[in-house]
Amino acid sequence: MLLPDRQTNQHRSSHNSARFLDDVSADSSAEFPDRVSMMEVRLQAQEDEITLLKSSLADALRRIRIHDQLLPLLKQQLIAGGWFSPAYWHKGEKISKEILEKLGNPERQRKRLDKKAASSANLLTRSFLSNSVSSHSFPPCCCLCIPGQSIKMFIRGRPITMYVPSNIQNYEDLKMEPPSERLDLDWVYGYRGRDCRANLYFLPTGEAVYFIACVIVLYHINNRTQRHYRKHTDCVRCLTLHPDKVRVASGQTAGVDKDGKPLQPCVHIWDSTTLVTLQQIGLGAFQRGVGSVAFSFADSGAFLCVIDDSNEHMLSVWDCTKGTKHAEIKSTNEAVFAVEFNPSDSTNIITCGKSHVYFWTLNGGQFTKKQGIFGKYKKPKFIQCFVFSLTGDVLTGDSEGNILTWGKSAADVKTLGKGAKETFQIMRQTRAHEGSVFTLWTLHGGGLLSGGGKDRKIIRWSADLAPERECEIPEKYGAVRTIADVDEEELLVGTTRNAILRGTFSDGFVAIVQGHVDEMWGLATHPSQNIFFTCGHDRQVCLWNTEEHKLDWCITLEEYGLCADFCPSGSVVSVGLSTGRWMVLDLLTREVVSESTDGNEQLSVMRYSPDGSFLAVGSHDNFIYIYNVTESGRRYIRFGKCNGHSSFITHLDWSKDGKYIMSNSGDYEILYWDIAAGCKLLRNRYESKDREWASYTCVLGFHVMGVWLEGSDGTDINALCRSHDERMVAVADDFCKVHLFQYPCPKPKAPSHKYEGHGSHVTNVCFTHSDSHLLSMGGKDTCILQWKVFGAGDSRERLASASVSSTSTSSPEPVTS
């Protein structure tokens, strides 16, 4: 995947849609594609495949014509120049007539080119230049190592020629090693409140525990430090706290591997003090994912109840000590939102969800079920949540805004027939909120807290459900998703717009955790300060502080942003939008100081020249627009337009002297442009082989060829970024991984350090100005990870300090691939 548009979304969808299609709740089901939209995605994927095949075929035919015209001349020059003298061959190799016959046989050459054009893997061949003629592929036995050589790489049948710089005398002798630097997770920005419930708890240690992507965050509110539990292999979906307030159970989704095969979901039970995994429950027993988990209370948490995301939503009970299954039954084909043990009786379990509340009894390893009867009361579409009162009653919150009190009642023999046993019926209905009741939370003194959806209110109720106090959450934070009490007065509130608030009824609430709420693509780091900028499909543009680990400011635009870059002056940032419009924002005032429109398609890359005198704007209309920049980035005048790409622009970089641009496109082209000469396309790409680049974000190029894995289809790498010291390259791939390679890495199968944490395709990566940190952003997981960069020569004290303040000793070690 290269960009977030319909021409590339089909690949991202094939790898990642499975992990999110199951994350559906009553209030968020409209956010996910229905059957018609899925069919449209498949149709678009087929159309894009045809387009690429046509492009590959056209390129192959063009090269065949060129070779047919130049082969006689090339053959004469090779023989006359003495290139086949034995002095140029490695020891033991000789010239054969067979080689000359193959060179002079156009039919054989045509077959070889057809075979290469049909290949979908990354096939590398050696080739050599003769004056200014096009490069010609020699048989594999030819291993000459002379200046002027090139490397040819094939992606989806399209040949990509890359020229070896003059300072590399022997390509074969280059050694590829992983970089001496490594990454350590330093901070996690964001919270998954949009589509998950009961996912926020407060620990006796003073830490709030919550999750986003594959990471569970333990955030010390007063000290403002984070620890991270990172043993999950895919997106965490649910969380619950043990009665001892130390152990935590967390369940994950199944996800898919890079080949599209489903992975096995499971539940982890772990110690929140040491971050050590105590049990791994149900590996291979659950389907699609784990939707809800709950510990028993009456027996001090001896059992764990789990509901998976299969069609039947299997309800199972597990022995926490042994890790064995105690009982299992099919729950319902409808969505299930919550499960809990009766706090006074571990043989009683309650579940709720779409149009139902079930009361389960577990006896001798067998379940019996009774459905809650609504009787004269209107049956709501969704039962969103429930809690147990101190008197043993069950209180449910529903989509009609009511709190329903349930209790046991003698069976209605007239309705249910003779022999009918007691039933669970509604004893009382209390009007609570406008719109859904998303969460209920019981207080130590018997009181109750409720959180509303549409009205965004938090209401405190007495034990007999009389309203006592209420407050309203600001609209920008969304609806109340979940509540946890720090003490009798202070509360933590998770919201549907991925924020965590802290406050009281008297003083109001402030955000302590914030994040994006939709897919993100735009990322830029400041040229001299420890701040970075993000934008995404939620139309939010945000400025973050990497030292204080907080959001400095956030504004909402009329359209969504896809790319951004800071002006080298550091006072403004440019943002490219989805409609071809782009704007420049002042960092201090947040005002728009300049605005322009280039075409009517989405913009994919914004890049200032090193001295800040030019701005290049890459668009999906295949053009690169160049602007003169004056007044420290506040005034822009169109300078020219680069016209030559046959597909949408994906990445571009400026040369160090600010005169040239290297660019990539959606059909895997690498083109070079002379901006100083009037945005002229450089036809002879060989002349650019020794040019030095101020940045390196192009995913296709000689210096980064080794980041592509064998069999890649061209969309597997979304972004890369070279460090400012030019020692390493960070790569964002389509399989939720961040890679760290050495720079340059021009040989295939280059080793790297690999890091996990994201739960979706990683859309962008960027080093901070001092290379002290790396930022990575996920797509659908709406997560930003901040990694600390440390070298092999760093002291133990520095590494220990990073571990204490940012991550845990149980974090997985980076894997060298």
Side-chain angles (χ1 to χ4, degrees), residues 14 32 122 160 220 263 273 411 484 487 494 582 667-668 722 730 747:
S14 67
F32 298 93
N122 291 333
I160 305 169
H220 197 289
L263 300 175
T273 303
D487 51 41
W582 57 274
D667 58 353
Y668 321 125
R722 184 189 67 190
K747 297 188 72 174

Coordinates of all heavy atoms in Angstrom, one line a residue, residues 14 32 122 160 220 263 273 411 484 487 494 582 667-668 722 730 747:
S14 N -7.5 -6.4 2.2 CA -7.3 -7.8 2.2 C -6.5 -8.3 3.4 O -6.7 -9.4 3.9 CB -6.6 -8.2 0.9 OG -5.2 -7.8 0.9
F32 N -18.7 0.6 9.5 CA -18.1 -0.5 8.8 C -18.8 -0.8 7.5 O -20.0 -0.6 7.3 CB -18.0 -1.7 9.7 CG -17.3 -1.5 10.9 CD1 -17.9 -1.0 12.1 CD2 -15.9 -1.6 10.9 CE1 -17.1 -0.8 13.2 CE2 -15.2 -1.4 12.1 CZ -15.8 -1.0 13.2
N122 N 10.3 -10.0 -6.8 CA 11.4 -9.1 -6.9 C 12.6 -9.9 -7.5 O 13.3 -10.5 -6.8 CB 11.8 -8.5 -5.6 CG 10.7 -7.5 -5.1 OD1 10.0 -7.0 -5.9 ND2 10.6 -7.4 -3.8
I160 N 12.0 -2.1 -12.8 CA 12.5 -0.8 -12.2 C 14.0 -0.9 -12.2 O 14.6 -1.7 -11.5 CB 11.9 -0.7 -10.7 CG1 10.4 -0.8 -10.7 CG2 12.4 0.7 -10.2 CD1 9.9 -1.0 -9.3
H220 N 0.4 6.3 34.8 CA 0.4 6.9 36.1 C 0.0 8.3 36.0 O 0.7 9.2 35.4 CB 1.8 6.8 36.8 CG 1.7 7.0 38.3 ND1 1.5 8.2 38.8 CD2 1.9 6.1 39.3 CE1 1.5 8.1 40.2 NE2 1.7 6.8 40.5
L263 N -5.4 -15.9 12.4 CA -4.6 -16.2 13.5 C -5.5 -16.6 14.7 O -6.7 -16.3 14.7 CB -3.7 -15.1 13.9 CG -2.7 -14.6 12.8 CD1 -2.0 -13.4 13.3 CD2 -1.7 -15.7 12.5
T273 N 1.7 -5.4 38.3 CA 2.8 -4.9 39.0 C 4.1 -5.2 38.2 O 5.0 -4.4 38.0 CB 2.9 -5.4 40.4 OG1 1.7 -5.1 41.1 CG2 4.1 -4.8 41.2
A411 N -43.5 -17.4 38.2 CA -43.8 -17.5 36.8 C -45.3 -17.3 36.6 O -46.1 -17.6 37.4 CB -43.5 -18.9 36.3
A484 N -14.7 5.1 35.4 CA -14.0 4.4 36.5 C -13.8 5.5 37.6 O -13.5 6.6 37.3 CB -12.7 3.8 36.1
D487 N -11.7 7.9 43.3 CA -12.1 7.9 44.7 C -13.6 8.3 44.7 O -14.2 8.3 43.6 CB -11.3 8.8 45.6 CG -11.1 10.3 45.0 OD1 -12.2 10.8 44.5 OD2 -10.0 10.8 45.1
G494 N -13.9 7.5 29.9 CA -13.5 7.2 28.5 C -14.6 7.6 27.5 O -15.8 7.4 27.8
W582 N -4.7 22.8 -0.4 CA -3.7 22.7 0.7 C -3.6 24.0 1.4 O -3.9 25.1 0.8 CB -2.4 22.2 0.2 CG -1.7 23.1 -0.9 CD1 -1.9 22.9 -2.3 CD2 -0.8 24.1 -0.8 NE1 -1.2 23.8 -3.0 CE2 -0.5 24.6 -2.1 CE3 -0.2 24.8 0.3 CZ2 0.4 25.6 -2.3 CZ3 0.7 25.8 0.1 CH2 1.0 26.2 -1.2
D667 N 2.5 3.5 -10.1 CA 2.9 2.4 -11.0 C 4.4 2.1 -10.9 O 4.9 1.6 -11.8 CB 2.5 2.7 -12.4 CG 3.1 4.0 -13.0 OD1 3.7 4.7 -12.2 OD2 2.9 4.3 -14.2
Y668 N 5.0 2.5 -9.8 CA 6.3 2.1 -9.4 C 7.4 2.7 -10.3 O 8.4 2.1 -10.6 CB 6.5 0.6 -9.4 CG 5.3 -0.2 -8.8 CD1 4.7 -1.1 -9.6 CD2 4.8 0.2 -7.6 CE1 3.6 -1.8 -9.0 CE2 3.7 -0.5 -7.1 CZ 3.1 -1.4 -7.8 OH 2.0 -2.1 -7.3
R722 N 14.6 8.0 6.2 CA 16.0 7.9 6.6 C 16.3 8.9 7.8 O 15.7 10.0 7.9 CB 16.8 8.3 5.4 CG 18.3 8.2 5.6 CD 19.1 8.8 4.5 NE 19.0 10.3 4.5 CZ 19.4 11.0 3.5 NH1 19.9 10.5 2.4 NH2 19.2 12.4 3.5
A730 N 13.9 3.7 8.7 CA 12.7 3.2 9.4 C 11.6 2.9 8.3 O 11.4 3.7 7.4 CB 12.1 4.1 10.4
K747 N 20.8 -4.1 -1.1 CA 20.8 -5.5 -1.5 C 19.6 -6.2 -1.0 O 19.1 -5.9 0.1 CB 22.1 -6.2 -1.0 CG 23.4 -5.7 -1.6 CD 24.5 -6.6 -1.3 CE 24.5 -7.9 -2.0 NZ 25.7 -8.7 -1.8

